[in-house]
PDB file of all heavy atoms in Angstrom:
ATOM      1  N   ALA A 141       3.985  36.219 -11.197  1.00 98.00           N
ATOM      2  CA  ALA A 141       4.607  37.429 -11.802  1.00 98.00           C
ATOM      3  C   ALA A 141       5.956  37.028 -12.419  1.00 98.00           C
ATOM      4  O   ALA A 141       6.276  37.445 -13.545  1.00 98.00           O
ATOM      5  CB  ALA A 141       4.792  38.509 -10.746  1.00 98.00           C
ATOM      6  N   ALA A 142       6.751  36.213 -11.728  1.00 98.00           N
ATOM      7  CA  ALA A 142       8.042  35.803 -12.248  1.00 98.00           C
ATOM      8  C   ALA A 142       7.884  34.902 -13.479  1.00 98.00           C
ATOM      9  O   ALA A 142       8.602  35.059 -14.472  1.00 98.00           O
ATOM     10  CB  ALA A 142       8.821  35.058 -11.163  1.00 98.00           C
ATOM     11  N   PHE A 143       6.911  34.041 -13.449  1.00 98.00           N
ATOM     12  CA  PHE A 143       6.636  33.146 -14.593  1.00 98.00           C
ATOM     13  C   PHE A 143       6.268  33.985 -15.833  1.00 98.00           C
ATOM     14  O   PHE A 143       6.789  33.765 -16.909  1.00 98.00           O
ATOM     15  CB  PHE A 143       5.467  32.226 -14.175  1.00 98.00           C
ATOM     16  CG  PHE A 143       5.138  31.112 -15.157  1.00 98.00           C
ATOM     17  CD1 PHE A 143       6.102  30.264 -15.663  1.00 98.00           C
ATOM     18  CD2 PHE A 143       3.798  30.989 -15.603  1.00 98.00           C
ATOM     19  CE1 PHE A 143       5.801  29.244 -16.549  1.00 98.00           C
ATOM     20  CE2 PHE A 143       3.500  29.938 -16.498  1.00 98.00           C
ATOM     21  CZ  PHE A 143       4.491  29.098 -16.976  1.00 98.00           C
ATOM     22  N   HIS A 144       5.400  34.960 -15.627  1.00 98.00           N
ATOM     23  CA  HIS A 144       4.960  35.861 -16.713  1.00 98.00           C
ATOM     24  C   HIS A 144       6.122  36.696 -17.229  1.00 98.00           C
ATOM     25  O   HIS A 144       6.343  36.788 -18.472  1.00 98.00           O
ATOM     26  CB  HIS A 144       3.834  36.729 -16.199  1.00 98.00           C
ATOM     27  CG  HIS A 144       3.225  37.589 -17.280  1.00 98.00           C
ATOM     28  ND1 HIS A 144       3.016  38.951 -17.144  1.00 98.00           N
ATOM     29  CD2 HIS A 144       2.738  37.267 -18.493  1.00 98.00           C
ATOM     30  CE1 HIS A 144       2.458  39.407 -18.247  1.00 98.00           C
ATOM     31  NE2 HIS A 144       2.284  38.424 -19.084  1.00 98.00           N
ATOM     32  N   ALA A 145       6.909  37.223 -16.304  1.00 98.00           N
ATOM     33  CA  ALA A 145       8.046  38.075 -16.715  1.00 98.00           C
ATOM     34  C   ALA A 145       9.027  37.298 -17.582  1.00 98.00           C
ATOM     35  O   ALA A 145       9.669  37.836 -18.489  1.00 98.00           O
ATOM     36  CB  ALA A 145       8.725  38.639 -15.476  1.00 98.00           C
ATOM     37  N   ASP A 146       9.137  35.991 -17.325  1.00 98.00           N
ATOM     38  CA  ASP A 146      10.092  35.152 -18.096  1.00 98.00           C
ATOM     39  C   ASP A 146       9.431  34.669 -19.391  1.00 98.00           C
ATOM     40  O   ASP A 146      10.043  33.860 -20.101  1.00 98.00           O
ATOM     41  CB  ASP A 146      10.515  33.934 -17.251  1.00 98.00           C
ATOM     42  CG  ASP A 146      11.399  34.325 -16.077  1.00 98.00           C
ATOM     43  OD1 ASP A 146      11.842  35.488 -16.089  1.00 98.00           O
ATOM     44  OD2 ASP A 146      11.617  33.467 -15.184  1.00 98.00           O
ATOM     45  N   GLY A 147       8.211  35.047 -19.662  1.00 98.00           N
ATOM     46  CA  GLY A 147       7.572  34.652 -20.906  1.00 98.00           C
ATOM     47  C   GLY A 147       6.978  33.260 -20.829  1.00 98.00           C
ATOM     48  O   GLY A 147       6.618  32.665 -21.838  1.00 98.00           O
ATOM     49  N   GLY A 148       6.871  32.693 -19.633  1.00 98.00           N
ATOM     50  CA  GLY A 148       6.226  31.352 -19.443  1.00 98.00           C
ATOM     51  C   GLY A 148       7.219  30.187 -19.376  1.00 98.00           C
ATOM     52  O   GLY A 148       8.395  30.449 -19.047  1.00 98.00           O
ATOM     53  N   GLY A 149       6.766  29.007 -19.713  1.00 98.00           N
ATOM     54  CA  GLY A 149       7.623  27.836 -19.564  1.00 98.00           C
ATOM     55  C   GLY A 149       6.681  26.728 -19.022  1.00 98.00           C
ATOM     56  O   GLY A 149       5.524  26.624 -19.450  1.00 98.00           O
ATOM     57  N   ASP A 150       7.234  25.909 -18.112  1.00 98.00           N
ATOM     58  CA  ASP A 150       6.449  24.811 -17.556  1.00 98.00           C
ATOM     59  C   ASP A 150       5.701  25.295 -16.290  1.00 98.00           C
ATOM     60  O   ASP A 150       6.281  25.540 -15.261  1.00 98.00           O
ATOM     61  CB  ASP A 150       7.378  23.669 -17.164  1.00 98.00           C
ATOM     62  CG  ASP A 150       6.631  22.490 -16.561  1.00 98.00           C
ATOM     63  OD1 ASP A 150       5.359  22.455 -16.578  1.00 98.00           O
ATOM     64  OD2 ASP A 150       7.296  21.579 -16.046  1.00 98.00           O
ATOM     65  N   LEU A 151       4.377  25.422 -16.474  1.00 98.00           N
ATOM     66  CA  LEU A 151       3.574  25.941 -15.378  1.00 98.00           C
ATOM     67  C   LEU A 151       3.598  25.039 -14.142  1.00 98.00           C
ATOM     68  O   LEU A 151       3.533  25.491 -13.046  1.00 98.00           O
ATOM     69  CB  LEU A 151       2.124  26.132 -15.886  1.00 98.00           C
ATOM     70  CG  LEU A 151       1.132  26.869 -14.995  1.00 98.00           C
ATOM     71  CD1 LEU A 151       0.130  27.637 -15.872  1.00 98.00           C
ATOM     72  CD2 LEU A 151       0.387  25.968 -14.048  1.00 98.00           C
ATOM     73  N   LEU A 152       3.796  23.763 -14.392  1.00 97.00           N
ATOM     74  CA  LEU A 152       3.848  22.809 -13.271  1.00 97.00           C
ATOM     75  C   LEU A 152       5.052  23.118 -12.353  1.00 97.00           C
ATOM     76  O   LEU A 152       4.928  23.295 -11.176  1.00 97.00           O
ATOM     77  CB  LEU A 152       3.930  21.358 -13.828  1.00 97.00           C
ATOM     78  CG  LEU A 152       3.803  20.257 -12.711  1.00 97.00           C
ATOM     79  CD1 LEU A 152       3.168  19.008 -13.349  1.00 97.00           C
ATOM     80  CD2 LEU A 152       5.090  19.890 -12.057  1.00 97.00           C
ATOM     81  N   ALA A 153       6.221  23.216 -13.028  1.00 96.00           N
ATOM     82  CA  ALA A 153       7.475  23.391 -12.257  1.00 96.00           C
ATOM     83  C   ALA A 153       7.552  24.796 -11.654  1.00 96.00           C
ATOM     84  O   ALA A 153       8.161  25.004 -10.598  1.00 96.00           O
ATOM     85  CB  ALA A 153       8.670  23.121 -13.142  1.00 96.00           C
ATOM     86  N   ARG A 154       6.990  25.798 -12.391  1.00 97.00           N
ATOM     87  CA  ARG A 154       7.178  27.182 -11.964  1.00 97.00           C
ATOM     88  C   ARG A 154       6.105  27.706 -10.978  1.00 97.00           C
ATOM     89  O   ARG A 154       6.408  28.588 -10.199  1.00 97.00           O
ATOM     90  CB  ARG A 154       7.222  28.087 -13.180  1.00 97.00           C
ATOM     91  CG  ARG A 154       8.369  27.839 -14.155  1.00 97.00           C
ATOM     92  CD  ARG A 154       9.720  28.315 -13.581  1.00 97.00           C
ATOM     93  NE  ARG A 154       9.709  29.678 -13.114  1.00 97.00           N
ATOM     94  CZ  ARG A 154       9.941  30.761 -13.880  1.00 97.00           C
ATOM     95  NH1 ARG A 154      10.281  30.585 -15.147  1.00 97.00           N
ATOM     96  NH2 ARG A 154       9.926  31.945 -13.373  1.00 97.00           N
ATOM     97  N   VAL A 155       4.871  27.175 -11.085  1.00 97.00           N
ATOM     98  CA  VAL A 155       3.818  27.704 -10.230  1.00 97.00           C
ATOM     99  C   VAL A 155       3.052  26.602  -9.453  1.00 97.00           C
ATOM    100  O   VAL A 155       2.913  26.661  -8.243  1.00 97.00           O
ATOM    101  CB  VAL A 155       2.782  28.515 -11.080  1.00 97.00           C
ATOM    102  CG1 VAL A 155       1.660  29.036 -10.185  1.00 97.00           C
ATOM    103  CG2 VAL A 155       3.434  29.642 -11.835  1.00 97.00           C
ATOM    104  N   ALA A 156       2.579  25.600 -10.218  1.00 97.00           N
ATOM    105  CA  ALA A 156       1.632  24.623  -9.604  1.00 97.00           C
ATOM    106  C   ALA A 156       2.326  23.863  -8.456  1.00 97.00           C
ATOM    107  O   ALA A 156       1.719  23.659  -7.444  1.00 97.00           O
ATOM    108  CB  ALA A 156       1.180  23.656 -10.684  1.00 97.00           C
ATOM    109  N   GLU A 157       3.604  23.492  -8.663  1.00 92.00           N
ATOM    110  CA  GLU A 157       4.275  22.709  -7.591  1.00 92.00           C
ATOM    111  C   GLU A 157       4.842  23.590  -6.482  1.00 92.00           C
ATOM    112  O   GLU A 157       4.595  23.304  -5.304  1.00 92.00           O
ATOM    113  CB  GLU A 157       5.352  21.881  -8.221  1.00 92.00           C
ATOM    114  CG  GLU A 157       6.019  20.964  -7.239  1.00 92.00           C
ATOM    115  CD  GLU A 157       6.944  19.954  -7.900  1.00 92.00           C
ATOM    116  OE1 GLU A 157       6.380  18.997  -8.539  1.00 92.00           O
ATOM    117  OE2 GLU A 157       8.144  20.169  -7.883  1.00 92.00           O
ATOM    118  N   PRO A 158       5.551  24.681  -6.804  1.00 92.00           N
ATOM    119  CA  PRO A 158       6.172  25.399  -5.710  1.00 92.00           C
ATOM    120  C   PRO A 158       5.160  26.007  -4.739  1.00 92.00           C
ATOM    121  O   PRO A 158       5.460  26.124  -3.533  1.00 92.00           O
ATOM    122  CB  PRO A 158       6.956  26.552  -6.437  1.00 92.00           C
ATOM    123  CG  PRO A 158       6.949  26.204  -7.879  1.00 92.00           C
ATOM    124  CD  PRO A 158       5.955  25.126  -8.142  1.00 92.00           C
TER     125      PRO A 158
END
Side-chain angles (χ1 to χ4, degrees):
F143 185 54
H144 186 231
D146 291 348
D150 178 11
L151 191 147
L152 188 151
R154 296 288 308 272
V155 179
E157 184 170 286

